[in-house]
Amino acid sequence: MPTLEEELLRLMTEETARLHAAPDLVERVVSRSRRRRVRGRIAALSASVAVVAAPVAYLGASTTTATGSQVTISVTPEPPAIDDTPPQPSEPPSLGDLGDGMKFGHVKVGYLPERLKWSGWSVDFGDKYTTAYFYEGDDPGSYRVQIYMYEEESVQEVGDRIAAYRDEGDGEEVTVGDRGGYLVVQNVGEDGMKGTPTLFLRMGDKQWAEIMFSPTYAKEFRETGAVSAELKKIAEGLTPNP
């Protein structure tokens, strides 16, 4: 059964992959969890040491005096060492070298806004995978456009998320060529940002794309509707890559 830290690593790694969050997010969460667990270990250890120190503690070797009487010596065992080494998060699987990044997994990218290039970053969870694009000279952990692909059973996740947005009255149905999609701004108000403009695109019964603009990148498009127009252009250029 996975430990609490392993489960946190798995959940936070997946969320980090989806949103391309700060690279040290997992480490921060695990560090807090580890500190709580170590404090619990110390409390339990203190209680166990108190019991060991009692008169009925472990009996050890005996020695004989010059008069022939025996004296029994109580031996208090050393307390167990506390493993204070934090687990090291493993790197999530990647898609490898994507060259210019215009093909990855089962999709081809036909259009990107000017100056964008492949970031060199990707994550591959099999039926879910993603990569991102940024400007030359941007920080390696940043992105401007991210494309997340959902295939096979994972498309249900997209359906559930779109259904939740519909229920809340967020976003709108859109048509991109002959394909349906859903346009919405996600994570509004988080971290003081204005949200992540996103277009979900249905590419087939078992293939959906999620195209995201970072809030920072979206600020570069000042004209009304410019971000939505760019998202639709990227969506139009996405085609299956058998």
Side-chain angles (χ1 to χ4, degrees):
M1 179 178 295
T3 65
L4 172 61
E5 291 181 354
E6 289 171 340
E7 185 65 12
L8 280 170
L9 283 172
R10 183 186 68 79
L11 293 173
M12 294 306 298
T13 298
E14 289 188 5
E15 187 63 14
T16 299
R18 190 179 73 78
L19 297 179
H20 205 197
D24 66 340
L25 178 60
V26 175
E27 288 90 334
R28 292 200 304 268
V29 173
V30 171
S31 178
R32 288 195 295 270
S33 174
R34 180 181 61 76
R35 287 198 297 270
R36 288 195 298 270
R37 195 178 73 174
V38 168
R39 286 197 295 270
R41 284 181 178 175
I42 292 173
L45 181 59
S46 298
S48 67
V49 170
V51 172
V52 169
V56 292
Y58 299 98
L59 294 179
S62 62
T63 184
T64 303
T65 66
T67 61
S69 59
Q70 263 193 348
V71 178
T72 301
I73 302 173
S74 294
V75 178
T76 302
E78 291 290 331
I82 297 176
D83 181 7
D84 199 35
T85 304
Q88 297 299 315
S90 58
E91 290 291 329
S94 75
L95 295 167
D97 186 358
L98 299 178
D100 62 3
M102 301 303 280
K103 293 181 182 179
F104 67 99
H106 301 124
V107 66
K108 295 179 182 179
V109 181
Y111 170 80
L112 287 173
E114 292 182 1
R115 295 178 55 201
L116 288 184
K117 58 172 290 184
W118 182 49
S119 67
W121 172 89
S122 66
V123 175
D124 180 14
F125 292 115
D127 61 353
K128 297 191 296 185
Y129 51 93
T130 182
T131 194
Y133 307 88
F134 63 3
Y135 288 162
E136 183 75 37
D138 282 353
D139 292 336
S142 67
Y143 81 101
R144 293 180 185 268
V145 169
Q146 181 175 353
I147 302 176
Y148 211 121
M149 297 302 301
Y150 301 82
E151 296 174 353
E152 301 302 330
E153 299 305 316
S154 70
V155 300
Q156 182 60 46
E157 178 183 334
V158 179
D160 292 343
R161 289 166 61 193
I162 292 176
Y165 287 129
R166 287 195 188 106
D167 290 345
E168 294 295 325
D170 293 334
E172 59 179 318
E173 307 283 347
V174 294
T175 300
V176 180
D178 59 352
R179 300 181 293 192
Y182 201 83
L183 189 64
V184 66
V185 178
Q186 303 185 91
N187 311 315
V188 175
E190 291 188 2
D191 298 323
M193 306 299 281
K194 293 185 177 180
T196 306
T198 304
L199 175 59
F200 294 98
L201 176 70
R202 182 182 182 276
M203 298 181 62
D205 291 338
K206 293 293 185 179
Q207 187 180 47
W208 277 76
E210 179 181 10
I211 308 165
M212 294 169 277
F213 271 33
S214 72
T216 300
Y217 184 51
K219 292 179 181 178
E220 296 185 14
F221 299 85
R222 301 185 180 279
E223 295 182 12
T224 302
V227 171
S228 298
E230 288 296 306
L231 285 169
K232 290 178 181 178
K233 287 181 181 179
I234 296 174
E236 288 172 357
L238 291 184
T239 57
N241 180 35

